Amino acid sequence: MDDRTRTREPRRARTRRRPWARILLPALLILAWLVGAGLGGPLFGKVDEVSSNDRTAYLPESADATKVQALLGEFTDSDAIPAVAVFVGDDALTEADTDALTDAVATAPEVEGVADDVSPAIISDDEMAAQAFIPIHSDAELADTVQALASHLRSAVPDGVTVYITGPAGFSADLVAGFAGIDGILLGVALLAVLVILVLVYRSLLLPVVVLSTSLFALCVALLAVWWLAKAGVLLLSGQTQGILFILVIGAATDYALLLVSRFREELRVTQDKGAALAAAWKGSFEPIVASGGTVIAGLLCLLLSDLKSNSTLGPVAAIGILFAMLSALTLLPALLMLFGRAAFWPRRPTFEPQRLEAEDGRATTGIWARLSGMIARRPRAIWIGTTALLLIGAAGLTQLNASGVPQSDLVLGASEARDGQVALGEHFPGGSGSPVYVIIDENRLQDAADVLLSAEGVDAVTVASAESPSGSAPVTADGIGAVGAPGAPAPEPTIAHGDVLLQATLADAADSDAAASVVRALRTDLDPLGGLVGGVTATSIDTNDASIHDRNLIIPVILAVIMVILMLLLRSLLAPVLLILTTVLSFGTALGISALVFDGVFRFPGADPAVPLYGFVFLVALGIDYNIFLMTRVREESRRNGTRDGILRGLSITGGVITSAGLVLAATFAALSVIPILFLVQLAFIVAFGVLLDTFIVRSLLVPALSYDIGRRIWWPSTLWRTGDD
């Protein structure tokens, strides 16, 4: 037996003297996790009760769109979400058609969730279409209400008239429907993908179930904590954050479990007692699991610096998930392994064979990892230079990345009634109908603000909130008909709140178009000297994109600095962390560059949200560092006993299989995000899945070991291992 086997004998003797401890403690841990999962499991279908997909809710409080949204309630009696019903005829609408449309719109409040103050049907100038503004209560089930409203209107209109529901309510309903599969489809696909990989890796029936149970229990308890924090108003939760939480917990918990199980199987070959083997495996896995999880948590918490609340709230939500993933791997999984012992690996139970392990010298002597280690030992410099050049070529695709934002109508992939309705609306009415620009101005500057809006290119119509108008507003025109302060024309009596007046401008272009964004930016420049606040759908998109770009430029360097410090403390070195960070950043750049080429050339995506590179960076760098931590902590352990270069080969040989399996699991779980038809999640799924595979098979398997081997013990500079260790 080797030294490791002999050191386990006293621990084995102690556990035999206290057999009750070997049963009671694991039983209590399993029971505690069962209770937590039992409380958290039923919440999977109730996340929508504490979540919101309203983009304005995630803007910083300093944004103009946020201020306007907060003040709108002082000018209107309702916080309803406007839907725009668009009616398009095959031919010109007749008087009978118009009467039928008017009656259909008038009866819309009969639909549950629809407010009473609907507008009359407005006929287009070409008499081919009509539109009506139908408010939907903010507390209604939006997707169901929009669907019921569409069915009601279609049943009431004449033949030959097509009905669309678009506007803010229509697009929000699309998002709600897109996220509807998170609790079912996403979770099912992710768990199935992980199960298949685990069965192939372990060639066992019981162990994959044990590992997957660990991940699922971690997710249930994490959801329990997040759900109640969101209900208490401590956290903001959205469908996007929910999906990322599910994937992150399943992937991370499985990765940590793989590391512990691999170490346990290794120890069972040199230790006959399962309790002593488990204790040794836990001790050997504790540092890399805590270091890896701590690195991810630290990176995620850097998102708290974000102006955009959708970013800042993701940080603590995902960090809670990672925390429970670590706890489950370090408590629940050992308890289950203690219960099953070697039987968990059936039918490939590890046998007690210390002599064979000693003959193998602690590492694989055959197979792909043995051959790869030999290749690195023969030509390290050629390998790391070649892989670096290959990664740099892929990173050149970054020049093709368009991450300046996408129209709201393109957020949902596949068929979209709201998108089709917006196209139809733009063919017969001003494109911005139903999604006006809101301008809040001091009543003494009303005339000046109206002049700015009326003279702005791209503004089709202007109204002022008025108590006189049945629809809640009065027209503002240049010819004096109801004009604000126009010569010879009586001004409508506006609704005034604390000395401010609300103006609404209808844009000629669709509210989510680049042209509309240009108009709103110009209006803000012209109205700023007057003290005007500009909000609405277009302004919300502008402020969201601007905040997202600010967050990206601020947070990425902060995350790099935080992870660098953690690696320095973990590896007791300065040079190794710098090189690991550089290789991970290079891997991220390559993943993003290749993704940009695929998005443009294969999928023909319209662009990307500015947050996509940020999220991709957070997950790829934090999780990519995980694999380097798994590798380099084992390399450092082996280097102390056998010298740096031999330690690198041993570390790669020993950890190669488990880290590759972990990478496959994480890539598969993130790829499952693509089943949700939301552009942001599909792009994030591709970037992270491809990046993880790239990091697993190229960076961690070739670049890092070859570069470290070429440098030798200088990699540990300036630690004691550099000064006293061997090459």
PDB file of all heavy atoms in Angstrom, residues 480-511:
ATOM      1  N   GLY A 480     -53.670  75.408 -35.833  1.00  0.00           N
ATOM      2  CA  GLY A 480     -54.466  76.141 -34.866  1.00  0.00           C
ATOM      3  C   GLY A 480     -55.663  75.399 -34.344  1.00  0.00           C
ATOM      4  O   GLY A 480     -56.337  75.888 -33.458  1.00  0.00           O
ATOM      5  N   ILE A 481     -55.971  74.219 -34.860  1.00  0.00           N
ATOM      6  CA  ILE A 481     -57.135  73.473 -34.388  1.00  0.00           C
ATOM      7  C   ILE A 481     -56.742  72.757 -33.106  1.00  0.00           C
ATOM      8  O   ILE A 481     -56.054  71.739 -33.130  1.00  0.00           O
ATOM      9  CB  ILE A 481     -57.624  72.461 -35.442  1.00  0.00           C
ATOM     10  CG1 ILE A 481     -57.972  73.190 -36.725  1.00  0.00           C
ATOM     11  CG2 ILE A 481     -58.818  71.677 -34.921  1.00  0.00           C
ATOM     12  CD1 ILE A 481     -58.341  72.271 -37.858  1.00  0.00           C
ATOM     13  N   GLY A 482     -57.136  73.316 -31.981  1.00  0.00           N
ATOM     14  CA  GLY A 482     -56.768  72.739 -30.696  1.00  0.00           C
ATOM     15  C   GLY A 482     -55.302  72.899 -30.390  1.00  0.00           C
ATOM     16  O   GLY A 482     -54.772  72.203 -29.548  1.00  0.00           O
ATOM     17  N   ALA A 483     -54.622  73.820 -31.078  1.00  0.00           N
ATOM     18  CA  ALA A 483     -53.189  73.957 -30.871  1.00  0.00           C
ATOM     19  C   ALA A 483     -52.894  74.596 -29.532  1.00  0.00           C
ATOM     20  O   ALA A 483     -53.658  75.393 -29.029  1.00  0.00           O
ATOM     21  CB  ALA A 483     -52.576  74.804 -31.988  1.00  0.00           C
ATOM     22  N   VAL A 484     -51.791  74.227 -28.974  1.00  0.00           N
ATOM     23  CA  VAL A 484     -51.374  74.817 -27.711  1.00  0.00           C
ATOM     24  C   VAL A 484     -50.833  76.210 -27.991  1.00  0.00           C
ATOM     25  O   VAL A 484     -49.769  76.367 -28.573  1.00  0.00           O
ATOM     26  CB  VAL A 484     -50.303  73.950 -27.035  1.00  0.00           C
ATOM     27  CG1 VAL A 484     -49.812  74.621 -25.761  1.00  0.00           C
ATOM     28  CG2 VAL A 484     -50.860  72.585 -26.720  1.00  0.00           C
ATOM     29  N   GLY A 485     -51.571  77.197 -27.597  1.00  0.00           N
ATOM     30  CA  GLY A 485     -51.091  78.565 -27.742  1.00  0.00           C
ATOM     31  C   GLY A 485     -51.001  79.031 -29.178  1.00  0.00           C
ATOM     32  O   GLY A 485     -50.367  80.036 -29.449  1.00  0.00           O
ATOM     33  N   ALA A 486     -51.626  78.323 -30.155  1.00  0.00           N
ATOM     34  CA  ALA A 486     -51.544  78.758 -31.545  1.00  0.00           C
ATOM     35  C   ALA A 486     -52.336  80.049 -31.709  1.00  0.00           C
ATOM     36  O   ALA A 486     -53.373  80.245 -31.082  1.00  0.00           O
ATOM     37  CB  ALA A 486     -52.105  77.686 -32.473  1.00  0.00           C
ATOM     38  N   PRO A 487     -51.861  80.958 -32.535  1.00  0.00           N
ATOM     39  CA  PRO A 487     -52.535  82.249 -32.701  1.00  0.00           C
ATOM     40  C   PRO A 487     -53.996  82.068 -33.126  1.00  0.00           C
ATOM     41  O   PRO A 487     -54.297  81.355 -34.071  1.00  0.00           O
ATOM     42  CB  PRO A 487     -51.719  82.928 -33.806  1.00  0.00           C
ATOM     43  CG  PRO A 487     -50.378  82.262 -33.736  1.00  0.00           C
ATOM     44  CD  PRO A 487     -50.647  80.856 -33.339  1.00  0.00           C
ATOM     45  N   GLY A 488     -54.869  82.708 -32.408  1.00  0.00           N
ATOM     46  CA  GLY A 488     -56.278  82.699 -32.768  1.00  0.00           C
ATOM     47  C   GLY A 488     -57.011  81.429 -32.428  1.00  0.00           C
ATOM     48  O   GLY A 488     -58.156  81.260 -32.841  1.00  0.00           O
ATOM     49  N   ALA A 489     -56.385  80.490 -31.715  1.00  0.00           N
ATOM     50  CA  ALA A 489     -57.047  79.220 -31.414  1.00  0.00           C
ATOM     51  C   ALA A 489     -57.065  79.002 -29.904  1.00  0.00           C
ATOM     52  O   ALA A 489     -56.083  79.270 -29.223  1.00  0.00           O
ATOM     53  CB  ALA A 489     -56.316  78.056 -32.074  1.00  0.00           C
ATOM     54  N   PRO A 490     -58.200  78.544 -29.388  1.00  0.00           N
ATOM     55  CA  PRO A 490     -58.268  78.290 -27.950  1.00  0.00           C
ATOM     56  C   PRO A 490     -57.446  77.056 -27.581  1.00  0.00           C
ATOM     57  O   PRO A 490     -57.507  76.038 -28.254  1.00  0.00           O
ATOM     58  CB  PRO A 490     -59.760  78.045 -27.709  1.00  0.00           C
ATOM     59  CG  PRO A 490     -60.269  77.510 -29.015  1.00  0.00           C
ATOM     60  CD  PRO A 490     -59.463  78.194 -30.078  1.00  0.00           C
ATOM     61  N   ALA A 491     -56.675  77.176 -26.559  1.00  0.00           N
ATOM     62  CA  ALA A 491     -55.870  76.044 -26.112  1.00  0.00           C
ATOM     63  C   ALA A 491     -56.717  75.119 -25.264  1.00  0.00           C
ATOM     64  O   ALA A 491     -57.521  75.572 -24.457  1.00  0.00           O
ATOM     65  CB  ALA A 491     -54.675  76.533 -25.311  1.00  0.00           C
ATOM     66  N   PRO A 492     -56.589  73.816 -25.451  1.00  0.00           N
ATOM     67  CA  PRO A 492     -57.324  72.892 -24.603  1.00  0.00           C
ATOM     68  C   PRO A 492     -56.823  72.994 -23.161  1.00  0.00           C
ATOM     69  O   PRO A 492     -55.678  73.358 -22.913  1.00  0.00           O
ATOM     70  CB  PRO A 492     -56.983  71.521 -25.196  1.00  0.00           C
ATOM     71  CG  PRO A 492     -55.666  71.731 -25.852  1.00  0.00           C
ATOM     72  CD  PRO A 492     -55.682  73.136 -26.377  1.00  0.00           C
ATOM     73  N   GLU A 493     -57.711  72.686 -22.252  1.00  0.00           N
ATOM     74  CA  GLU A 493     -57.313  72.733 -20.842  1.00  0.00           C
ATOM     75  C   GLU A 493     -56.590  71.435 -20.494  1.00  0.00           C
ATOM     76  O   GLU A 493     -57.205  70.371 -20.420  1.00  0.00           O
ATOM     77  CB  GLU A 493     -58.543  72.893 -19.962  1.00  0.00           C
ATOM     78  CG  GLU A 493     -58.214  72.992 -18.478  1.00  0.00           C
ATOM     79  CD  GLU A 493     -59.466  73.169 -17.637  1.00  0.00           C
ATOM     80  OE1 GLU A 493     -60.492  73.632 -18.160  1.00  0.00           O
ATOM     81  OE2 GLU A 493     -59.409  72.819 -16.451  1.00  0.00           O
ATOM     82  N   PRO A 494     -55.281  71.500 -20.293  1.00  0.00           N
ATOM     83  CA  PRO A 494     -54.529  70.266 -20.074  1.00  0.00           C
ATOM     84  C   PRO A 494     -54.677  69.746 -18.648  1.00  0.00           C
ATOM     85  O   PRO A 494     -55.001  70.490 -17.733  1.00  0.00           O
ATOM     86  CB  PRO A 494     -53.085  70.696 -20.346  1.00  0.00           C
ATOM     87  CG  PRO A 494     -53.053  72.145 -19.968  1.00  0.00           C
ATOM     88  CD  PRO A 494     -54.422  72.687 -20.302  1.00  0.00           C
ATOM     89  N   THR A 495     -54.425  68.455 -18.517  1.00  0.00           N
ATOM     90  CA  THR A 495     -54.334  67.869 -17.192  1.00  0.00           C
ATOM     91  C   THR A 495     -52.983  68.254 -16.602  1.00  0.00           C
ATOM     92  O   THR A 495     -51.944  68.036 -17.220  1.00  0.00           O
ATOM     93  CB  THR A 495     -54.450  66.342 -17.268  1.00  0.00           C
ATOM     94  OG1 THR A 495     -55.724  66.013 -17.809  1.00  0.00           O
ATOM     95  CG2 THR A 495     -54.313  65.715 -15.883  1.00  0.00           C
ATOM     96  N   ILE A 496     -52.995  68.825 -15.402  1.00  0.00           N
ATOM     97  CA  ILE A 496     -51.768  69.331 -14.791  1.00  0.00           C
ATOM     98  C   ILE A 496     -51.526  68.601 -13.479  1.00  0.00           C
ATOM     99  O   ILE A 496     -52.429  68.460 -12.659  1.00  0.00           O
ATOM    100  CB  ILE A 496     -51.855  70.853 -14.547  1.00  0.00           C
ATOM    101  CG1 ILE A 496     -52.023  71.578 -15.882  1.00  0.00           C
ATOM    102  CG2 ILE A 496     -50.622  71.360 -13.813  1.00  0.00           C
ATOM    103  CD1 ILE A 496     -52.228  73.063 -15.742  1.00  0.00           C
ATOM    104  N   ALA A 497     -50.324  68.095 -13.315  1.00  0.00           N
ATOM    105  CA  ALA A 497     -49.948  67.423 -12.073  1.00  0.00           C
ATOM    106  C   ALA A 497     -48.709  68.104 -11.519  1.00  0.00           C
ATOM    107  O   ALA A 497     -47.640  68.044 -12.138  1.00  0.00           O
ATOM    108  CB  ALA A 497     -49.672  65.947 -12.323  1.00  0.00           C
ATOM    109  N   HIS A 498     -48.877  68.792 -10.379  1.00  0.00           N
ATOM    110  CA  HIS A 498     -47.758  69.473  -9.727  1.00  0.00           C
ATOM    111  C   HIS A 498     -47.068  70.441 -10.684  1.00  0.00           C
ATOM    112  O   HIS A 498     -45.849  70.545 -10.710  1.00  0.00           O
ATOM    113  CB  HIS A 498     -46.739  68.467  -9.182  1.00  0.00           C
ATOM    114  CG  HIS A 498     -47.340  67.453  -8.263  1.00  0.00           C
ATOM    115  ND1 HIS A 498     -47.964  67.794  -7.080  1.00  0.00           N
ATOM    116  CD2 HIS A 498     -47.428  66.103  -8.345  1.00  0.00           C
ATOM    117  CE1 HIS A 498     -48.410  66.716  -6.477  1.00  0.00           C
ATOM    118  NE2 HIS A 498     -48.110  65.669  -7.225  1.00  0.00           N
ATOM    119  N   GLY A 499     -47.838  71.120 -11.514  1.00  0.00           N
ATOM    120  CA  GLY A 499     -47.261  72.109 -12.415  1.00  0.00           C
ATOM    121  C   GLY A 499     -46.702  71.547 -13.698  1.00  0.00           C
ATOM    122  O   GLY A 499     -46.169  72.299 -14.517  1.00  0.00           O
ATOM    123  N   ASP A 500     -46.808  70.225 -13.932  1.00  0.00           N
ATOM    124  CA  ASP A 500     -46.307  69.602 -15.151  1.00  0.00           C
ATOM    125  C   ASP A 500     -47.457  69.200 -16.058  1.00  0.00           C
ATOM    126  O   ASP A 500     -48.590  68.965 -15.609  1.00  0.00           O
ATOM    127  CB  ASP A 500     -45.476  68.361 -14.821  1.00  0.00           C
ATOM    128  CG  ASP A 500     -44.161  68.709 -14.155  1.00  0.00           C
ATOM    129  OD1 ASP A 500     -43.658  69.815 -14.423  1.00  0.00           O
ATOM    130  OD2 ASP A 500     -43.652  67.895 -13.372  1.00  0.00           O
ATOM    131  N   VAL A 501     -47.159  69.123 -17.346  1.00  0.00           N
ATOM    132  CA  VAL A 501     -48.137  68.734 -18.355  1.00  0.00           C
ATOM    133  C   VAL A 501     -47.569  67.554 -19.149  1.00  0.00           C
ATOM    134  O   VAL A 501     -46.360  67.467 -19.361  1.00  0.00           O
ATOM    135  CB  VAL A 501     -48.451  69.907 -19.309  1.00  0.00           C
ATOM    136  CG1 VAL A 501     -49.475  69.496 -20.360  1.00  0.00           C
ATOM    137  CG2 VAL A 501     -48.958  71.097 -18.521  1.00  0.00           C
ATOM    138  N   LEU A 502     -48.459  66.675 -19.576  1.00  0.00           N
ATOM    139  CA  LEU A 502     -48.051  65.510 -20.366  1.00  0.00           C
ATOM    140  C   LEU A 502     -48.398  65.712 -21.827  1.00  0.00           C
ATOM    141  O   LEU A 502     -49.561  65.941 -22.173  1.00  0.00           O
ATOM    142  CB  LEU A 502     -48.741  64.245 -19.842  1.00  0.00           C
ATOM    143  CG  LEU A 502     -48.528  62.972 -20.680  1.00  0.00           C
ATOM    144  CD1 LEU A 502     -47.055  62.547 -20.639  1.00  0.00           C
ATOM    145  CD2 LEU A 502     -49.420  61.839 -20.179  1.00  0.00           C
ATOM    146  N   LEU A 503     -47.385  65.651 -22.687  1.00  0.00           N
ATOM    147  CA  LEU A 503     -47.567  65.650 -24.133  1.00  0.00           C
ATOM    148  C   LEU A 503     -47.269  64.256 -24.668  1.00  0.00           C
ATOM    149  O   LEU A 503     -46.386  63.563 -24.155  1.00  0.00           O
ATOM    150  CB  LEU A 503     -46.630  66.661 -24.798  1.00  0.00           C
ATOM    151  CG  LEU A 503     -46.941  68.145 -24.588  1.00  0.00           C
ATOM    152  CD1 LEU A 503     -45.743  68.989 -24.994  1.00  0.00           C
ATOM    153  CD2 LEU A 503     -48.176  68.556 -25.371  1.00  0.00           C
ATOM    154  N   GLN A 504     -48.014  63.860 -25.706  1.00  0.00           N
ATOM    155  CA  GLN A 504     -47.783  62.565 -26.340  1.00  0.00           C
ATOM    156  C   GLN A 504     -47.517  62.788 -27.820  1.00  0.00           C
ATOM    157  O   GLN A 504     -48.283  63.474 -28.502  1.00  0.00           O
ATOM    158  CB  GLN A 504     -49.000  61.656 -26.182  1.00  0.00           C
ATOM    159  CG  GLN A 504     -49.364  61.370 -24.733  1.00  0.00           C
ATOM    160  CD  GLN A 504     -50.559  60.460 -24.617  1.00  0.00           C
ATOM    161  OE1 GLN A 504     -50.592  59.395 -25.223  1.00  0.00           O
ATOM    162  NE2 GLN A 504     -51.549  60.872 -23.844  1.00  0.00           N
ATOM    163  N   ALA A 505     -46.425  62.215 -28.303  1.00  0.00           N
ATOM    164  CA  ALA A 505     -46.050  62.354 -29.709  1.00  0.00           C
ATOM    165  C   ALA A 505     -46.091  60.989 -30.379  1.00  0.00           C
ATOM    166  O   ALA A 505     -45.483  60.029 -29.894  1.00  0.00           O
ATOM    167  CB  ALA A 505     -44.652  62.962 -29.835  1.00  0.00           C
ATOM    168  N   THR A 506     -46.821  60.893 -31.472  1.00  0.00           N
ATOM    169  CA  THR A 506     -46.866  59.663 -32.262  1.00  0.00           C
ATOM    170  C   THR A 506     -45.800  59.744 -33.355  1.00  0.00           C
ATOM    171  O   THR A 506     -45.766  60.704 -34.127  1.00  0.00           O
ATOM    172  CB  THR A 506     -48.241  59.470 -32.914  1.00  0.00           C
ATOM    173  OG1 THR A 506     -49.235  59.412 -31.892  1.00  0.00           O
ATOM    174  CG2 THR A 506     -48.284  58.190 -33.728  1.00  0.00           C
ATOM    175  N   LEU A 507     -44.931  58.756 -33.401  1.00  0.00           N
ATOM    176  CA  LEU A 507     -43.834  58.756 -34.363  1.00  0.00           C
ATOM    177  C   LEU A 507     -44.276  58.162 -35.689  1.00  0.00           C
ATOM    178  O   LEU A 507     -45.150  57.293 -35.743  1.00  0.00           O
ATOM    179  CB  LEU A 507     -42.648  57.970 -33.810  1.00  0.00           C
ATOM    180  CG  LEU A 507     -42.062  58.473 -32.480  1.00  0.00           C
ATOM    181  CD1 LEU A 507     -40.892  57.593 -32.056  1.00  0.00           C
ATOM    182  CD2 LEU A 507     -41.619  59.931 -32.592  1.00  0.00           C
ATOM    183  N   ALA A 508     -43.615  58.601 -36.755  1.00  0.00           N
ATOM    184  CA  ALA A 508     -43.939  58.084 -38.085  1.00  0.00           C
ATOM    185  C   ALA A 508     -43.405  56.671 -38.274  1.00  0.00           C
ATOM    186  O   ALA A 508     -43.960  55.890 -39.053  1.00  0.00           O
ATOM    187  CB  ALA A 508     -43.355  59.005 -39.153  1.00  0.00           C
ATOM    188  N   ASP A 509     -42.346  56.323 -37.553  1.00  0.00           N
ATOM    189  CA  ASP A 509     -41.728  55.002 -37.678  1.00  0.00           C
ATOM    190  C   ASP A 509     -42.071  54.140 -36.470  1.00  0.00           C
ATOM    191  O   ASP A 509     -42.478  54.642 -35.416  1.00  0.00           O
ATOM    192  CB  ASP A 509     -40.208  55.140 -37.799  1.00  0.00           C
ATOM    193  CG  ASP A 509     -39.800  55.899 -39.049  1.00  0.00           C
ATOM    194  OD1 ASP A 509     -39.972  55.351 -40.150  1.00  0.00           O
ATOM    195  OD2 ASP A 509     -39.323  57.045 -38.915  1.00  0.00           O
ATOM    196  N   ALA A 510     -41.924  52.813 -36.640  1.00  0.00           N
ATOM    197  CA  ALA A 510     -42.197  51.883 -35.549  1.00  0.00           C
ATOM    198  C   ALA A 510     -41.381  52.258 -34.321  1.00  0.00           C
ATOM    199  O   ALA A 510     -40.226  52.669 -34.419  1.00  0.00           O
ATOM    200  CB  ALA A 510     -41.875  50.462 -35.978  1.00  0.00           C
ATOM    201  N   ALA A 511     -42.001  52.103 -33.144  1.00  0.00           N
ATOM    202  CA  ALA A 511     -41.382  52.568 -31.905  1.00  0.00           C
ATOM    203  C   ALA A 511     -40.056  51.885 -31.615  1.00  0.00           C
ATOM    204  O   ALA A 511     -39.204  52.453 -30.914  1.00  0.00           O
ATOM    205  CB  ALA A 511     -42.344  52.360 -30.742  1.00  0.00           C
TER     206      ALA A 511
END
